[in-house]
Amino acid sequence: MTIAVTNLRVEDKLYQNRYVVDSGRPHIKVRPHKWPSANLFALTSVCPAKCYELNDNGQVEITADGCMECGTCRILCEASGEIEWNYPRGGYGVLFKFG
Amino acid sequence: MTEEKFDAIVIGAGMAGNAAAYTMASRGLKVLQLERGEYPGSKNVQGAIMYSNMLEKIIPDFRDDAPLERHLIEQRFWMMDDTSHIGMQYRSDDFNESRHNRYTVIRAQFDKWFSRKVREAGATVLCETTVTELARDSDGKVIGVLTDRTGDMILADVVVLAEGVNGLLGTRAGLRETPKPQNVALAVKEMHFLPEEVIDQRFGLKANEGCVIEAAGTISRSMAGLAFLYTNKESISIGIGCLVSDFAATMESPYELLESFKNHPSIRTLIAGSEVKEYAAHLIPEGGYRAIPQLFGNGWVVVGDAAQLNNAVHREGSNLAMTSGRLAGEAIFLVKKGGRPMTKENLALYKSMMDKSFVIKDLRKYKDMPALLHTNSRNFFTTYPQLLSQAAQNFMRVDSTPKLDKERATTAAFIKARSRWGLVGDAVRLAFAWR
Ligand SMILES: Cc1cc2nc3c(=O)[nH]c(=O)nc-3n(C[C@H](O)[C@H](O)[C@H](O)COP(=O)(O)OP(=O)(O)OC[C@H]3O[C@@H](n4cnc5c(N)ncnc54)[C@H](O)[C@@H]3O)c2cc1C
Ligand code: SF4
């Protein structure tokens, strides 16, 4: 399948990647919060896999399925305790064919 | 396996881990290497330029069977504004020597090959195994690891932390700090496939010759960042990276940045018609010398990106990773051969070997660069590229304006944008940081 190089959506980009999803065991969790901090809110645009989204109540939620395990959200939000970050179990998660 | 005790456990099968494991196993040490990916390389991302000299020191005849893409004969540096680029280019037939100096590689393939060498040298390599914790005795000495495979502890005299930039184990054990957002860049990268002949033709190459482009300018939207385009045999690696702190402050999205880089008129034609087969993201340590943590302790050493050993100015990382892994392996071998325990005092040998190597010398040379580029990112990544482009256009566009007026206009534009003192100051600061 040839994809035009222009203006790909991130969902289409991730579709090219290979993942082994560990169902029911997300490796990143967002702690319950009333309002997101600036860094947590920033993840809704900074996460390269667009895993973070704002829900209707103004809280940040994560769906870690497309996660490329880059660690950006850990660097920004682990110290403040807003997220819990772990690597997936061995063999699970993103599997780069080229890298 | 739980009954066995190893001379060394290496965590991670990237450039640093493979270099360390190979160095120790080929000298007869009993080595266990643990990698969380399905295969070595499945979690790793790189541009990727691989430097021959540092690999030759580990595997001298690597050219016989390593998966290499193209050897580099040309490098372009581009300063970009929204519609143009001004650049420097170096191309030399001297790089067509028989033992090529630099190659492009594809990490998933290269790491698999390197890991095969590690196995052949006698190490035990276990993939699909995430190390969850470092085991320590009552004195705090690292004595082994715990994994997500079994509940049992695996013991070793020394643990080599080659866990990469986002190394959880060392930071959670308090051996070093988690990198700060201003000390790491987030890079996104795509693999674009094109027929070999098309790449040859677009870049003026033949028979495995390669060309790379490094680009800075308005493409990073005032953030401190760089983009790259590297030719592989039948694909082009293209990506862009900026500091995580800048991403958080501007809320720019990395994939949009990459999309607009790909759509820049100077880039678009180079990748036109390609098939995208992968999208990847990874952090790059950019803190330089001042961000290097403690490199050794009781029962442990840290190597590669986990120790922030990355030269952002020259975009070198894998060679620093390989060299630190090799030196750690050699130091451990020497301590072991001397029949001495893997204490902090004895493992200090690794640090003294590192201090003598190009790794620490190069990073020390650029110790002020990260701070300079960070505090001045708007000038270096937006103002100057725009000014340079205007100046070039002013110079080349032929109209009825007298040349002297053109020169005056160019000078005035620089002074207006940065003031005389600003210009002199930036030049001096850059010169000092470079020195
Ligand atoms: C986009 C990009 C472009 C780059 N371009 C270049 C370039 O052109 N040239 C260059 O020289 N350098 C480049 N670099 C830098 C280079 O990729 C790194 O410096 C190099 O990969 C570091 O090697 P490493 O072994 O320290 O870490 P990595 O290669 O990241 O390896 C770490 C390994 O540890 C494993 N691991 C981590 N935690 C655990 C755990 N708990 N249990 C088990 N396994 C674990 C990981 O799965 C991984 O395999 C680039 C980097 C990026 C992101
Ligand atoms: S690790 Fe990277 S890709 Fe995964 S959720 Fe965090 S920011 Fe997104």
Side-chain angles (χ1 to χ4, degrees):
Chain A
M1 180 177 54
T2 306
I3 292 187
V5 293
T6 49
N7 299 323
L8 277 179
R9 293 181 316 145
V10 72
E11 293 79 2
D12 298 330
K13 289 173 177 250
L14 295 170
Y15 183 71
Q16 302 293 314
N17 292 354
R18 189 174 156 233
Y19 293 94
V20 180
V21 176
D22 200 355
S23 313
R25 294 178 71 153
H27 61 287
I28 306 171
K29 290 181 195 138
V30 177
R31 294 264 166 81
H33 54 278
K34 248 193 174 135
W35 306 110
S37 69
N39 274 0
L40 187 57
F41 179 65
L43 291 178
T44 58
S45 63
V46 173
C47 164
K50 214 172 187 327
C51 292
Y52 290 85
E53 270 174 325
L54 208 58
N55 68 19
D56 294 340
N57 301 324
Q59 286 126 17
V60 171
E61 287 177 356
I62 181 168
T63 316
D65 292 359
C67 173
M68 293 178 280
E69 300 159 32
C70 71
T72 303
C73 55
R74 176 183 176 229
I75 300 292
L76 285 171
C77 293
E78 189 191 51
S80 57
E82 291 167 291
I83 67 167
E84 225 181 280
W85 206 102
N86 276 295
Y87 280 123
R89 277 193 291 165
Y92 288 93
V94 71
L95 293 165
F96 293 120
K97 294 163 286 183
F98 309 104
Chain B
M1 192 182 70
T2 50
E3 300 300 312
E4 295 183 70
K5 184 176 172 194
F6 291 88
D7 291 328
I9 293 173
V10 177
I11 301 166
M15 291 290 203
N18 284 337
Y22 183 89
T23 303
M24 294 187 288
S26 60
R27 284 167 175 71
L29 298 195
K30 193 166 153 194
V31 177
L32 173 68
Q33 188 181 29
L34 302 165
E35 165 57 49
R36 66 189 192 87
E38 186 183 72
Y39 47 86
S42 61
K43 300 291 184 182
N44 302 343
V45 181
Q46 192 180 326
I49 303 175
M50 199 277 299
Y51 305 88
S52 308
N53 170 273
M54 292 78 187
L55 180 57
E56 259 171 5
K57 293 210 162 83
I58 302 162
I59 303 180
D61 54 1
F62 77 88
R63 291 182 183 84
D64 293 350
D65 56 359
L68 307 168
E69 292 288 313
R70 289 172 184 260
H71 66 272
L72 299 178
I73 63 150
E74 178 175 335
Q75 179 138 1
R76 307 177 189 169
F77 303 94
W78 286 2
M79 276 278 210
M80 306 183 86
D81 75 357
D82 295 342
T83 53
S84 71
H85 75 264
I86 174 167
M88 205 177 92
Q89 195 156 338
Y90 184 71
R91 180 184 176 109
S92 175
D93 196 43
D94 293 350
F95 288 125
N96 278 319
E97 64 226 308
S98 60
R99 295 154 68 84
H100 305 121
N101 181 256
R102 304 187 298 165
Y103 297 92
T104 47
V105 297
I106 291 172
R107 274 295 293 271
Q109 296 164 7
F110 184 86
D111 289 9
K112 263 191 210 163
W113 166 84
F114 205 164
S115 179
R116 206 179 69 231
K117 294 284 169 188
V118 171
R119 269 174 242 239
E120 283 168 11
T124 306
V125 182
L126 277 186
C127 290
E128 300 190 293
T129 310
T130 302
V131 178
T132 49
E133 217 180 301
L134 297 177
R136 300 166 92 167
D137 67 12
S138 52
D139 296 333
K141 181 177 190 293
V142 174
I143 52 167
V145 301
L146 291 158
T147 74
D148 63 354
R149 274 217 178 200
T150 66
D152 299 323
M153 196 186 288
I154 315 174
L155 298 174
D157 288 337
V158 61
V159 172
V160 178
L161 291 149
E163 47 178 342
V165 55
N166 187 29
L168 299 183
L169 295 163
T171 54
R172 291 204 176 146
L175 306 182
R176 59 174 192 272
E177 282 179 28
T178 305
K180 304 226 165 359
Q182 64 272 26
N183 283 343
V184 275
L186 165 62
V188 286
K189 176 194 161 184
E190 281 178 5
M191 288 294 280
H192 285 244
F193 281 76
L194 282 167
E196 197 176 335
E197 316 81 69
V198 175
I199 295 176
D200 287 351
Q201 190 205 334
R202 284 185 190 171
F203 292 86
L205 304 167
K206 60 174 184 352
N208 296 332
E209 291 173 342
C211 166
V212 306
I213 301 175
E214 315 270 8
T218 58
I219 46 170
S220 68
R221 303 187 184 157
S222 294
M223 299 186 281
L226 279 174
F228 61 89
L229 183 152
Y230 297 162
T231 54
N232 304 313
K233 197 163 275 175
E234 295 181 316
S235 62
I236 291 176
S237 305
I238 184 165
I240 185 162
C242 299
L243 289 178
V244 168
S245 52
D246 284 355
F247 270 125
T250 57
M251 287 195 60
E252 291 284 356
S253 95
Y255 42 88
E256 279 169 16
L257 223 57
L258 180 56
E259 287 310 301
S260 43
F261 179 60
K262 281 158 53 186
N263 279 308
H264 190 284
S266 301
I267 296 291
R268 200 167 43 208
T269 48
L270 296 174
I271 54 170
S274 61
E275 185 184 353
V276 184
K277 290 202 184 169
E278 189 165 81
Y279 168 59
H282 206 276
L283 295 176
I284 308 178
E286 304 246 327
Y289 185 73
R290 295 186 197 281
I292 301 174
Q294 175 72 32
L295 292 177
F296 60 96
N298 273 330
W300 62 273
V301 293
V302 58
V303 294
D305 275 10
Q308 290 263 338
L309 301 172
N310 208 299
N311 185 339
V313 177
H314 288 262
R315 292 181 76 74
E316 293 176 27
S318 62
N319 50 339
L320 280 63
M322 283 190 278
T323 302
S324 60
R326 172 175 66 82
L327 294 178
E330 285 175 11
I332 289 167
F333 171 73
L334 289 172
V335 171
K336 181 89 191 172
K337 202 173 89 175
R340 291 174 294 149
M342 297 290 164
T343 56
K344 186 172 181 179
E345 295 70 42
N346 292 335
L347 289 169
L349 177 63
Y350 162 51
K351 173 74 168 42
S352 63
M353 288 162 83
M354 284 286 281
D355 284 340
K356 286 189 205 111
S357 73
F358 78 94
V359 176
I360 298 294
K361 285 181 182 161
D362 282 0
L363 291 177
R364 196 184 291 136
K365 172 176 190 306
Y366 293 121
K367 63 186 185 312
D368 297 322
M369 210 58 147
L372 174 68
L373 292 183
H374 184 59
T375 49
N376 258 326
S377 65
R378 173 161 269 285
N379 292 330
F380 286 115
F381 294 95
T382 302
T383 312
Y384 287 132
Q386 278 171 340
L387 287 169
L388 279 172
S389 162
Q390 281 159 20
Q393 189 161 134
N394 218 0
F395 186 78
M396 282 172 227
R397 195 184 278 281
V398 176
D399 50 27
S400 344
T401 318
K403 304 292 183 212
L404 203 60
D405 293 357
K406 286 193 175 211
E407 273 172 31
R408 281 200 192 106
T410 299
T411 315
F414 271 79
I415 292 171
K416 180 159 176 267
R418 275 303 283 141
S419 86
R420 258 178 229 281
W421 280 116
L423 286 171
V424 173
D426 286 348
V428 170
R429 276 191 291 271
L430 191 65
F432 269 91
W434 193 270
R435 196 181 48 166

